[in-house]
Amino acid sequence: MSNYSINEFIRQTKQDDTENDYFELETPRILEVNLLDQVWAKAGSMISYNGGIKFEREGILEHGVGRLFKKAVTGEGSSLMKATGRGRLYLADQGKKITIFDLDNEAITVNGNDLLAFEPSIEWDIKLMKKVAGMVSGGLFNVTLKGSGRVAITSHYEPLTLLVRPGQPVITDPHATVAWSGHLEPDFKTDISFKTFIGRGSGESIQMEFEGDGFVIVQPFEEVHTTGSQ
């Protein structure tokens, strides 16, 4: 058989029917959800599904007025959708690399733009980074997830984890920061001396500073968050 035949291509790229875990990496950039009940996912991330699955945007009363207000204030496209039913669901986000975490009574905070999906057993809350709202294009928000269950996040290319140790703070670019330990509270600072070098030509460089004991995940890409982005 030719290495370039359609049959050979199908053999190499077809879905793996032997997988039945709740979250599976079908490829490094496509998440398979073996849905038995429901899952929360980033709105617009569905690329394919089979079976009986219904999709709906986060309901107005789903998580109370407070979260909706915070979402409206950010002006960001952090909309979540709820997929309910039984079947196989395939999720992706602009070809970004996907990482799965199996939380065991743990917490992780994820940049709202980098959250792909999570199990309904996970508690979540949207938090606006008030100190940088207005300073960064489109503002910044994050989602804190805690409890036990699977969480899938995305990054542009391969992520790097930086360890935060007492007395050894880690400073990152907000646009390259993907996630961090749920108990860490980043501080924000501006560095006017960076103004000439950042290439954006608008104001100071905004930096995130993490202190304490934990980790920060960064990506080799500065993702500019624009209002209404998905």
Side-chain angles (χ1 to χ4, degrees), residues 123-192:
E123 294 181 41
W124 60 278
D125 191 19
I126 294 174
K127 295 181 180 179
L128 173 65
M129 299 182 188
K130 295 174 184 167
K131 291 184 180 178
V132 288
M135 289 196 291
V136 177
S137 173
L140 285 172
F141 66 96
N142 55 58
V143 184
T144 297
L145 306 126
K146 60 183 178 180
S148 297
R150 296 277 173 98
V151 173
I153 69 171
T154 60
S155 61
H156 286 278
Y157 312 106
E158 286 65 34
L160 172 68
T161 300
L162 306 169
L163 299 181
V164 182
R165 295 287 181 251
Q168 300 175 15
V170 170
I171 298 167
T172 65
D173 181 331
H175 295 293
T177 307
V178 174
W180 55 91
S181 304
H183 62 277
L184 292 182
E185 291 281 346
D187 197 9
F188 293 88
K189 63 180 193 175
T190 59
D191 189 336
I192 298 175

Side-chain angles (χ1 to χ4, degrees), residues 39-180:
V39 67
W40 285 101
K42 185 174 184 176
S45 62
M46 186 276 289
I47 58 170
S48 179
Y49 72 92
N50 60 41
I53 301 177
K54 182 176 71 171
F55 300 90
E56 54 187 321
R57 289 268 181 161
E58 178 195 3
I60 289 177
L61 300 177
E62 190 79 50
H63 284 92
V65 175
R67 292 188 193 187
L68 283 173
F69 175 72
K70 279 188 282 189
K71 239 171 45 169
V73 167
T74 66
E76 289 266 359
S78 92
S79 302
L80 292 170
M81 66 179 181
K82 183 166 60 175
T84 309
R86 296 177 72 92
R88 282 191 174 179
L89 171 61
Y90 295 93
L91 305 174
D93 185 14
Q94 302 179 57
K96 292 162 71 176
K97 183 178 175 64
I98 299 169
T99 301
I100 298 172
F101 295 112
D102 197 349
L103 299 187
D104 182 12
N105 198 28
E106 296 166 294
I108 187 170
T109 300
V110 183
N111 184 304
N113 211 45
D114 301 316
L115 179 60
L116 182 62
F118 56 94
E119 288 194 61
S121 59
I122 298 287
E123 294 181 41
W124 60 278
D125 191 19
I126 294 174
K127 295 181 180 179
L128 173 65
M129 299 182 188
K130 295 174 184 167
K131 291 184 180 178
V132 288
M135 289 196 291
V136 177
S137 173
L140 285 172
F141 66 96
N142 55 58
V143 184
T144 297
L145 306 126
K146 60 183 178 180
S148 297
R150 296 277 173 98
V151 173
I153 69 171
T154 60
S155 61
H156 286 278
Y157 312 106
E158 286 65 34
L160 172 68
T161 300
L162 306 169
L163 299 181
V164 182
R165 295 287 181 251
Q168 300 175 15
V170 170
I171 298 167
T172 65
D173 181 331
H175 295 293
T177 307
V178 174
W180 55 91

Side-chain angles (χ1 to χ4, degrees), residues 18-36:
T18 63
E19 295 176 342
N20 55 15
D21 214 354
Y22 185 75
F23 278 9
E24 294 278 359
L25 283 181
E26 191 67 11
T27 78
R29 301 171 196 279
I30 298 176
L31 177 70
E32 176 187 287
V33 182
N34 290 290
L35 194 59
L36 297 175

